[in-house]
Coordinates of all heavy atoms in Angstrom, one line a residue:
G216 N -4.5 116.8 162.1 CA -4.5 118.0 161.2 C -3.8 117.7 160.0 O -2.9 117.0 159.9
G217 N -4.4 118.4 158.9 CA -3.9 118.0 157.6 C -2.4 118.2 157.2 O -1.9 117.2 156.6
S218 N -1.8 119.2 157.8 CA -0.4 119.3 157.4 C 0.5 118.2 157.9 O 1.3 117.7 157.3 CB 0.1 120.7 157.9 OG -0.1 120.8 159.3
Y296 N 4.5 123.7 156.9 CA 3.8 124.7 157.8 C 4.9 125.8 158.0 O 6.0 125.6 158.7 CB 3.3 124.2 159.1 CG 2.1 125.0 159.5 CD1 0.8 124.6 159.0 CD2 2.2 126.1 160.4 CE1 -0.3 125.4 159.5 CE2 1.2 126.8 160.8 CZ -0.1 126.5 160.4 OH -1.2 127.2 160.8
H325 N 0.8 125.1 154.0 CA -0.5 124.3 154.1 C -1.8 125.2 154.2 O -3.0 124.7 154.0 CB -0.5 123.4 155.2 CG 0.4 122.2 154.8 ND1 -0.1 121.1 154.3 CD2 1.7 122.0 155.0 CE1 0.9 120.2 154.1 NE2 2.0 120.8 154.5
G326 N -1.7 126.4 154.5 CA -3.0 127.3 154.4 C -3.1 128.2 155.7 O -2.8 129.4 155.6
T327 N -3.3 127.6 156.9 CA -3.5 128.5 158.0 C -2.2 129.2 158.4 O -2.2 130.2 159.0 CB -4.0 127.8 159.2 OG1 -3.4 126.5 159.2 CG2 -5.5 127.5 159.2
V355 N -0.1 123.8 148.5 CA -1.0 122.6 148.3 C -2.2 122.9 147.3 O -2.9 122.0 146.9 CB -1.5 122.0 149.5 CG1 -0.4 121.4 150.5 CG2 -2.5 123.0 150.4
N378 N -2.1 118.0 147.5 CA -2.2 116.9 148.4 C -2.6 115.7 147.8 O -3.1 115.7 146.7 CB -3.2 117.3 149.6 CG -2.6 118.4 150.5 OD1 -1.3 118.4 150.7 ND2 -3.5 119.1 151.2
N410 N -11.1 119.8 162.8 CA -10.6 120.0 164.1 C -11.5 120.9 164.9 O -11.0 121.6 165.9 CB -9.2 120.6 163.9 CG -9.1 121.8 163.0 OD1 -10.2 122.4 162.8 ND2 -7.9 122.2 162.6
K415 N -14.0 126.3 160.4 CA -14.8 125.2 159.7 C -16.3 125.4 159.6 O -17.0 124.6 158.9 CB -14.5 123.9 160.5 CG -13.0 123.5 160.7 CD -12.5 123.1 159.3 CE -10.9 123.0 159.5 NZ -10.2 122.7 158.2
N485 N -12.6 129.2 155.2 CA -11.3 129.2 154.4 C -10.8 127.7 154.3 O -10.9 127.1 155.4 CB -10.3 130.1 155.0 CG -9.3 130.6 154.0 OD1 -9.1 130.0 153.0 ND2 -9.0 131.8 154.2
E486 N -10.2 127.2 153.3 CA -9.7 125.9 153.2 C -8.8 125.9 152.1 O -9.1 126.0 150.9 CB -10.9 124.9 153.0 CG -10.7 123.6 153.4 CD -10.5 123.3 154.8 OE1 -11.6 123.6 155.6 OE2 -9.4 122.9 155.3
S487 N -7.4 125.8 152.3 CA -6.5 125.9 151.3 C -6.7 124.7 150.2 O -6.4 124.9 149.0 CB -5.1 125.8 151.8 OG -4.8 124.6 152.3
F488 N -7.0 123.5 150.8 CA -7.2 122.4 149.8 C -8.4 121.6 150.3 O -9.4 121.4 149.4 CB -5.9 121.5 150.0 CG -6.0 120.3 149.1 CD1 -5.5 120.4 147.8 CD2 -6.5 119.1 149.6 CE1 -5.6 119.2 147.0 CE2 -6.6 117.9 148.9 CZ -6.1 118.0 147.6
G489 N -8.4 121.3 151.5 CA -9.6 120.4 152.0 C -9.3 118.9 151.9 O -10.0 118.1 151.1
L490 N -8.2 118.4 152.5 CA -7.8 117.0 152.5 C -9.0 116.1 152.9 O -9.2 115.0 152.4 CB -6.6 116.8 153.3 CG -6.0 115.4 153.4 CD1 -5.4 115.1 152.0 CD2 -4.8 115.2 154.4
Ligands
GMT101 O1 -7.7 122.6 158.6 C1 -7.0 123.0 159.6 O2 -7.2 123.7 160.3 C2 -5.6 122.2 159.8 C3 -4.7 122.6 158.7 C4 -3.3 122.0 159.1 O3 -2.4 122.8 158.9 O4 -3.1 120.9 159.4 O5 -5.1 122.2 157.5 C5 -4.6 122.9 156.3 O6 -3.7 122.0 155.7 C6 -4.3 120.8 155.1 C7 -3.2 120.0 154.5 O7 -2.5 120.6 153.5 C8 -5.4 121.3 154.0 O8 -6.1 120.1 153.5 C9 -6.4 122.2 154.8 O9 -7.3 122.7 153.8 C10 -5.7 123.3 155.5 N1 -6.7 124.1 156.3 C11 -7.1 125.3 156.1 O10 -6.7 126.0 155.2 C12 -8.0 125.9 157.0

Side-chain angles (χ1 to χ4, degrees):
S218 63
Y296 211 88
H325 282 273
T327 41
V355 298
N378 285 333
N410 54 14
K415 302 295 174 184
N485 208 330
E486 201 67 64
S487 68
F488 180 87
L490 186 61

